[in-house]
Amino acid sequence: MKNIDKYSRGYFMPLTQCLKWTEKEYITEAPTWCSVDLRDGNQALIIPMSLEEKLEYFQLLLQVGFKEIEVGFPAASETEFAFLRTLIEENLIPDDVTIQVLTQSREHIIKKTFEALQGAKKAVVHLYNSTSVAQREQVFGKSKEEITEIAVTGAKMLKKFAAETEGNFQFQYSPESFTGTEVEFALEVCNKVLDIWQPTTDNKVIINLPATVSMSMPHVYASQIEFMSDNLNFRENVIISLHPHNDRGTGVADAELGMLAGAQRVEGTLFGNGERTGNVDIVTLALNMFSHGIDPKLNFENIPYIISKYEKLTRMRVHERHPYGGELVFTAFSGSHQDAIAKGMKWREEKDPQYWSVPYLLIDPMDIGREYEGDIIRINSQSGKGGIGYILQQKYGIELPVEMRESFGYKVKSVSDHNHKELMPNEIYDIFIKEYLNINTPVELIGHKYTQNGHYETIVKIRVNNEVHEFTGEGNGRFDAISNALQTKLGIEFKDVVYKQHALEIGSASNAMSYVGITANNGTVYWGCGIDTDIMTSSVKALFSAVNNMVTSLQLPVEISFNHSKK
């Protein structure tokens, strides 16, 4: 690409100073989660939520289990102010939930913020100002000392207004654009703020270190977090919080490595909604922990419901490939994937192992409200015999013999390829019915009966070309007698008969399903299926279906030779 020389890696600290986080293998417990959907997420919407929509979204966040929720920037608009007052005055905030509000380091904004917070049972007041090189030079035209003074002045004003306002308040400070700030300078500013607030065990302060713009690889961000964690004043009374954005597509990795490096709290949104490429996605972060056996302390057991609410209220869409939530994330179209999943599911059913380990499925979709049927295996022209067989078995109780799956798979894929579409389970079932089940042309079975005299004899009645005929056959068993009769009397030849059967458990427990494969002289195997309340009758119907498929496919003449007279 052109213009490579326009970009640099920026200022980053020497990594060798802070690498203790690399010695940790897993995140061992969930952080404190803070949803910023109603502030950071809302301000990024094309159409911000109305008061009523924000109230509905707030209830959704409570249902998910958030204990800290940033409800807005109350000094920014009347809607934001009214929303906060409604939450407080109508007692809509549970006692175990802390709300959070954002304010710039400007006196009239801080004053308006505390007016909105009057009477709050528990609230975090989040103060911020930009500290990055780019913001200092290009936006504010201020020195480091002047930027530091903005933070210090804001910290003092928060203490003043908090003392004058009814409520219970905790303070939070963010050096905005932390990732574009020299880390030593970010530390200096944060420590000056902490010196003013004097956090204690009973009144801890939150220092939020945002990747306002994600500017580095995740390991650099983690080392920056570790440096801050090692050097902040009052560290035992400071909660380090992360607020990663996703400009480089690494928001989740930034947060995970940042937690390894000492962060105790994460701010983010459902499905990553936020400015530009969005905030870190808390759904993905939480379910990543879940996949490692760590309780995320949030409830995502009904992802479809959460998505429906999210899409309705934000007017945004969860992409089909979005981790965990997307419509297709548990879906396999590839034949080899489908086969592995189907076998893995069967193995799990038989072995009942303690831990989930199905191929290609990170977690059990059922754990987050997804269904096996229609979610895991879906069929198109790329699908394989295993997946197609799995659909029939799960949906309709039809357990195709392994030898038959390839034949049926080609028929299904041919339909999908010709129509350029995905096939639904009912369409797959319809193809099965049409191609294999109880096929009665050109030779229709009307009836049959047996006698046994050392060996089996059968009398078979058929209809060909609208004429009914009756003839006999002999064999070592009833099925063999029918097979011999068809070959002898119809003048056709086949060999290597494959015969399987099972009770049809879905739909009707009284029915039996039989599968018959016959090999023509050219080596091609033709399949037929039969269903009946009598297992023997179902097998005979399957044989006739296979014979009819062979006769039709090979365009064989049906040359009838009878010992019995035409009826």
Side-chain angles (χ1 to χ4, degrees):
M1 292 179 64
K2 298 178 181 179
N3 302 322
I4 292 291
D5 294 340
K6 285 173 62 175
Y7 303 98
S8 73
R9 289 178 294 167
Y11 170 80
F12 303 120
M13 57 176 291
L15 295 181
T16 54
Q17 295 181 20
C18 299
L19 291 173
K20 294 191 297 293
W21 63 267
T22 62
E23 300 170 5
K24 301 176 184 178
E25 189 174 0
Y26 295 110
I27 296 167
T28 57
E29 61 180 349
T32 297
W33 302 107
C34 179
S35 160
V36 294
D37 292 79
L38 293 170
R39 198 277 302 169
D40 204 341
N42 185 57
Q43 75 183 33
L45 298 176
I46 297 172
I47 303 174
M49 286 181 269
S50 65
L51 175 61
E52 292 73 19
E53 288 171 331
K54 289 191 78 172
L55 288 168
E56 187 174 350
Y57 204 107
F58 183 76
Q59 292 301 318
L60 173 64
L61 295 172
L62 294 179
Q63 291 171 25
V64 170
F66 284 99
K67 299 304 180 184
E68 296 190 11
I69 301 172
E70 189 170 75
V71 296
F73 197 142
S77 71
E78 285 306 312
T79 298
E80 297 283 283
F81 190 95
F83 174 55
L84 178 52
R85 291 313 306 159
T86 300
L87 291 176
I88 295 171
E89 292 171 5
E90 297 187 13
N91 198 29
L92 298 176
I93 307 167
D95 291 341
D96 63 343
V97 171
T98 300
I99 58 170
Q100 177 171 302
V101 295
L102 187 69
T103 180
Q104 293 175 335
S105 183
R106 301 168 68 184
E107 184 172 7
H108 72 284
I109 292 177
I110 294 173
K111 182 175 184 292
K112 184 80 169 179
T113 298
F114 277 96
E115 289 174 3
L117 284 168
Q118 182 75 29
K121 296 178 183 177
K122 194 186 301 182
V124 171
V125 186
H126 182 183
L127 173 73
Y128 77 96
N129 69 297
S130 296
T131 59
S132 70
V133 176
Q135 295 270 16
R136 296 195 315 257
E137 294 178 348
Q138 302 170 34
V139 180
F140 301 110
K142 293 184 181 296
S143 66
K144 287 182 178 180
E145 292 74 20
E146 290 172 310
I147 292 294
T148 302
E149 184 59 28
I150 292 173
V152 167
T153 300
K156 291 176 180 178
M157 285 190 289
L158 253 63
K159 285 189 72 173
K160 173 182 179 295
F161 283 104
E164 298 170 354
T165 305
E166 177 190 356
N168 182 13
F169 306 113
Q170 182 179 16
F171 297 152
Q172 173 172 323
Y173 174 70
S174 289
E176 192 205 0
S177 299
F178 166 74
T179 45
T181 304
E182 306 92 331
V183 70
E184 295 91 345
F185 178 56
L187 176 67
E188 178 184 337
V189 176
C190 289
N191 277 337
K192 287 187 180 295
V193 170
L194 289 170
D195 288 343
I196 293 167
W197 285 343
Q198 295 287 309
T200 65
T201 302
D202 296 328
N203 190 17
K204 294 186 177 183
V205 163
I206 301 167
I207 293 295
N208 190 55
L209 302 172
T212 310
V213 178
S214 177
M215 301 174 69
S216 66
M217 293 178 68
H219 71 294
V220 174
Y221 184 56
S223 293
Q224 292 169 327
I225 300 303
E226 184 175 302
F227 176 84
M228 296 293 287
S229 179
D230 286 347
N231 293 284
L232 282 170
N233 295 343
F234 306 97
R235 179 63 185 92
E236 68 278 9
N237 297 324
V238 172
I239 298 167
I240 291 184
S241 177
L242 305 177
H243 184 112
H245 280 245
N246 201 39
D247 304 85
R248 289 170 50 88
T250 59
V252 168
D254 288 339
E256 290 183 330
L257 297 191
M259 282 187 274
L260 290 180
Q264 302 139 286
R265 183 177 185 267
V266 175
E267 295 185 348
T269 59
L270 298 180
F271 307 110
N273 177 41
E275 295 280 14
R276 306 181 312 278
T277 55
N279 290 276
V280 68
D281 175 18
I282 288 182
V283 177
T284 300
L285 272 174
L287 290 177
N288 279 356
M289 292 180 194
F290 178 76
S291 74
H292 283 172
I294 304 299
D295 185 357
K297 307 296 185 182
L298 293 175
N299 185 350
F300 292 115
E301 293 177 2
N302 193 346
I303 282 285
Y305 169 78
I306 294 170
I307 290 175
S308 68
K309 282 281 191 179
Y310 169 85
E311 293 186 334
K312 168 194 167 188
L313 296 171
T314 66
R315 301 168 185 85
M316 301 284 284
R317 183 176 68 87
V318 175
H319 192 276
E320 290 86 351
R321 300 294 181 188
H322 195 102
Y324 300 105
E327 180 186 355
L328 299 178
V329 296
F330 295 110
T331 300
F333 289 105
S334 160
S336 61
H337 287 207
Q338 291 176 344
D339 184 60
I341 291 171
K343 289 175 179 175
M345 295 294 286
K346 184 175 178 61
W347 184 89
R348 179 172 178 81
E349 184 178 334
E350 294 172 351
K351 305 293 185 181
D352 191 27
Q354 178 181 356
Y355 297 111
W356 177 264
S357 61
V358 174
Y360 298 111
L361 297 180
L362 178 61
I363 65 171
D364 185 345
M366 295 283 283
D367 287 336
I368 58 172
R370 302 291 293 271
E371 300 292 335
Y372 291 147
E373 180 185 304
D375 269 345
I376 295 182
I377 291 177
R378 289 165 60 173
I379 305 303
N380 63 16
S381 60
Q382 304 301 308
S383 301
K385 58 186 179 180
I388 293 169
Y390 180 84
I391 291 289
L392 283 183
Q393 195 277 327
Q394 290 292 310
K395 180 76 174 177
Y396 302 103
I398 297 171
E399 301 177 13
L400 295 182
V402 173
E403 303 92 333
M404 183 182 179
R405 290 181 181 179
E406 184 171 2
S407 170
F408 182 51
Y410 281 124
K411 292 182 184 295
V412 171
K413 291 198 290 184
S414 176
V415 173
S416 175
D417 190 39
H418 179 76
N419 295 324
H420 301 289
K421 58 172 287 190
E422 176 189 355
L423 297 181
M424 297 296 103
N426 64 299
E427 294 175 296
I428 296 168
Y429 179 72
D430 288 343
I431 295 171
F432 171 78
I433 296 297
K434 176 185 176 183
E435 297 290 340
Y436 299 107
L437 188 64
N438 295 348
I439 307 299
N440 56 17
T441 57
V443 182
E444 179 184 359
L445 172 67
I446 297 176
H448 63 285
K449 57 184 178 180
Y450 302 99
T451 59
Q452 184 176 7
N453 185 18
H455 60 278
Y456 284 90
E457 296 182 354
T458 182
I459 300 176
V460 185
K461 184 182 287 188
I462 66 170
R463 179 182 286 110
V464 178
N465 298 325
N466 293 321
E467 293 185 350
V468 176
H469 302 272
E470 189 175 276
F471 55 88
T472 62
E474 298 180 358
N476 296 325
R478 291 179 293 180
F479 187 84
D480 187 48
I482 292 279
S483 176
N484 291 338
L486 283 175
Q487 294 187 71
T488 301
K489 304 303 180 181
L490 297 183
I492 59 176
E493 295 182 12
F494 54 84
K495 57 185 177 180
D496 299 330
V497 177
V498 178
Y499 169 54
K500 296 190 177 181
Q501 61 189 35
H502 65 80
L504 194 61
E505 297 179 355
I506 297 178
S508 174
S510 61
N511 279 333
M513 176 72 79
S514 295
Y515 310 85
V516 170
I518 58 175
T519 303
N521 287 336
N522 65 1
T524 302
V525 179
Y526 295 92
W527 288 91
C529 300
I531 187 171
D532 197 88
T533 54
D534 176 68
I535 189 66
M536 192 62 218
T537 301
S538 76
S539 66
V540 173
K541 289 181 177 180
L543 176 61
F544 269 79
S545 296
V547 167
N548 280 321
N549 278 337
M550 183 183 76
V551 168
T552 301
S553 178
L554 297 178
Q555 297 181 334
L556 298 176
V558 181
E559 300 173 356
I560 303 175
S561 173
F562 292 107
N563 293 329
H564 290 59
S565 60
K566 187 190 301 181
K567 299 297 180 183

